[in-house]
Structures are given as structure tokens and as C-alpha cells.
């Protein structure tokens, strides 16, 4: 059994997406408790606050990389009522379903083209998923594609991988192509203040054009 405090690094050590999926499936039942008790996970609430500043609560929302639904719960607390969830791990989605905040839940690999039509959502929120060892910067193209013009894309990102993992370049590419406009790069914060206090995050908010 993996020590709860070591599970984040155990997840990042997965060699491929099949192993990553299996590890998240295995962790799913204890995920919420571990993230709260061991890490003091605050990113879902911080991201939902940013999301709610830029989008009305009658929006149709995609929670991409929803996991066990922590961000969906935070969105629901802020008044959003139509939220769909996608994630690589069916075990995590099963936990998310039990929270009762999602309209639909689908197992989707965000490193591939999503089975979602263009311009489907008013907004997309992605918390803790676009990062090293998980989903690369190239996936932002897909998440922007499924958002309607005038809609919102918000995601969390570790500051230390913005340039090294191509996120800064992806932002610049999409802005130069006229696909998004930066609304806000939020103030830096500790996303996991108890367990990994040295990791600092920003919340990025873009208007889709």
C-alpha cells in the first residue's frame, strides 16, 4: 500500500497513460480524503472562483480532467448547474458521479481528439490536469476547440513548467492565431500547501475568440 503522502509522486512516476489510468483507478476511493488531509488541496476552489468571475452561472460547462469531481462541486457551490465531466480514469469518474453535480460523465483521453463537437460549451475548466506526466500543452487546442466563440477557458498550471513544457509557447501560438485572448493570469498560490508547499501555481483565464 502506498503511503497517502507519497501518492502524488507515485502518480507522476507512471510510465505511460495506461499505467497512469490504472493508478488513478486504484487511488480513486481515497483520493478526496488524501488530497484534503495530506495536501490541503485548494486549487479546485481557487479555479472555480476565477471561472465564476468571467462566466454566468447559466452556462453549459465542461470539467476536463474532472477526476473525482472536486472542481465540479466547487462550480456547483457557485451556482453552475449544467456541468459535464470527462476524465481518463473510470474509477475517478465513478467517484465524481456519486457527488451528483454532473449532467454527464465520459471517459476521455485528453491526449487524443475528444469525441465532442466544436463549439459545444460556454466554458471549460481544467484543474490539475495540464501538467508534466499527464496531459501536455498541445491538448489546449482541443479544449479551446470545444468552447464556443466568446466562451471561457480556465486552467491551473504550475509556474515551474510554463516554459519548459511548452505552455507559454502554446499560449502565444493561440493568441497569435486569434483563437484566444488572455483575460487573467492569476496571482501565484500554493495549490497543495500541506503536502507540496514548494509547488506554486497560477490560474490562467482565456476568452475563446
Amino acid at each position: 500500500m502506498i503511503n497517502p503522502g507519497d501518492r502524488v509522486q507515485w502518480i507522476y512516476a507512471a510510465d505511460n497513460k495506461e499505467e497512469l489510468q490504472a493508478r488513478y483507478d486504484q487511488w480513486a476511493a481515497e483520493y478526496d480524503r488524501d488530497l484534503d488531509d495530506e495536501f490541503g488541496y485548494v486549487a479546485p476552489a481557487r479555479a472555480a472562483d476565477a471561472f465564476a468571475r468571467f462566466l454566468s452561472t447559466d452556462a453549459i460547462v465542461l470539467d476536463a480532467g474532472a477526476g473525482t469531481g472536486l472542481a465540479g462541486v466547487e462550480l456547483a457551490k457557485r451556482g453552475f448547474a449544467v456541468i459535464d465531466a470527462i476524465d481518463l480514469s473510470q474509477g475517478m469518474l465513478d467517484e465524481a458521479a456519486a457527488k451528483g453535480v454532473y449532467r454527464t460523465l465520459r471517459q476521455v483521453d485528453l491526449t487524443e481528439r475528444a469525441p465532442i463537437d466544436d463549439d459545444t460549451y460556454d466554458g471549460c475548466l481544467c484543474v490539475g490536469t495540464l501538467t508534466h506526466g499527464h496531459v501536455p500543452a498541445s491538448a489546449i487546442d482541443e479544449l479551446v476547440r470545444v468552447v464556443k466563440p466568446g466562451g471561457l477557458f480556465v486552467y491551473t498550471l504550475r509556474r515551474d513548467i510554463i516554459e519548459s513544457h511548452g505552455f507559454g509557447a502554446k499560449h502565444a501560438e493561440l493568441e497569435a492565431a486569434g483563437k484566444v485572448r488572455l483575460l487573467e493570469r492569476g496571482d501565484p498560490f500554493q495549490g497543495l500547501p500541506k503536502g507540496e508547499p514548494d509547488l506554486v501555481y497560477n490560474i490562467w483565464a482565456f476568452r475563446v475568440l
Side-chain angles (χ1 to χ4, degrees), residues 81-152:
V82 184
I83 312 167
D84 293 340
I86 57 174
D87 196 88
L88 178 65
S89 164
Q90 187 59 51
M92 300 289 272
L93 288 171
D94 291 343
E95 296 294 322
K99 292 183 169 65
V101 298
Y102 293 108
R103 180 179 66 170
T104 65
L105 302 98
R106 284 197 284 179
Q107 189 176 18
V108 171
D109 181 354
L110 288 173
T111 67
E112 301 176 357
R113 183 176 175 85
I116 301 170
D117 291 339
D118 294 356
D119 306 337
T120 295
Y121 291 98
D122 299 306
C124 174
L125 180 64
C126 187
V127 179
T129 301
L130 288 155
T131 186
H132 76 93
H134 283 58
V135 178
S138 57
I140 294 176
D141 292 321
E142 277 296 284
L143 299 180
V144 168
R145 176 184 68 78
V146 303
V147 175
K148 299 171 185 176
L152 180 68

Side-chain angles (χ1 to χ4, degrees), residues 12-163:
Y12 283 124
D15 290 330
N16 52 60
K17 65 184 177 183
E18 291 78 17
E19 187 173 54
L20 182 68
Q21 177 183 336
R23 290 187 177 191
Y24 270 118
D25 286 345
Q26 184 178 335
W27 191 13
E30 291 82 30
Y31 182 88
D32 290 3
R33 183 185 61 210
D34 288 350
L35 266 289
D36 187 27
D37 292 350
E38 301 292 333
F39 294 94
Y41 192 36
V42 299
R46 295 285 296 263
D49 282 340
F51 198 82
R53 284 201 300 274
F54 294 109
L55 196 64
S56 64
T57 56
D58 61 353
I60 301 171
V61 177
L62 178 65
D63 183 0
T68 61
L70 295 177
V73 168
E74 295 297 337
L75 288 171
K77 287 179 182 177
R78 288 153 182 78
F80 292 93
V82 184
I83 312 167
D84 293 340
I86 57 174
D87 196 88
L88 178 65
S89 164
Q90 187 59 51
M92 300 289 272
L93 288 171
D94 291 343
E95 296 294 322
K99 292 183 169 65
V101 298
Y102 293 108
R103 180 179 66 170
T104 65
L105 302 98
R106 284 197 284 179
Q107 189 176 18
V108 171
D109 181 354
L110 288 173
T111 67
E112 301 176 357
R113 183 176 175 85
I116 301 170
D117 291 339
D118 294 356
D119 306 337
T120 295
Y121 291 98
D122 299 306
C124 174
L125 180 64
C126 187
V127 179
T129 301
L130 288 155
T131 186
H132 76 93
H134 283 58
V135 178
S138 57
I140 294 176
D141 292 321
E142 277 296 284
L143 299 180
V144 168
R145 176 184 68 78
V146 303
V147 175
K148 299 171 185 176
L152 180 68
F153 171 57
V154 173
Y155 83 110
T156 61
L157 180 63
R158 281 172 45 175
R159 295 187 75 192
D160 61 314
I161 66 168
I162 292 170
E163 300 306 330

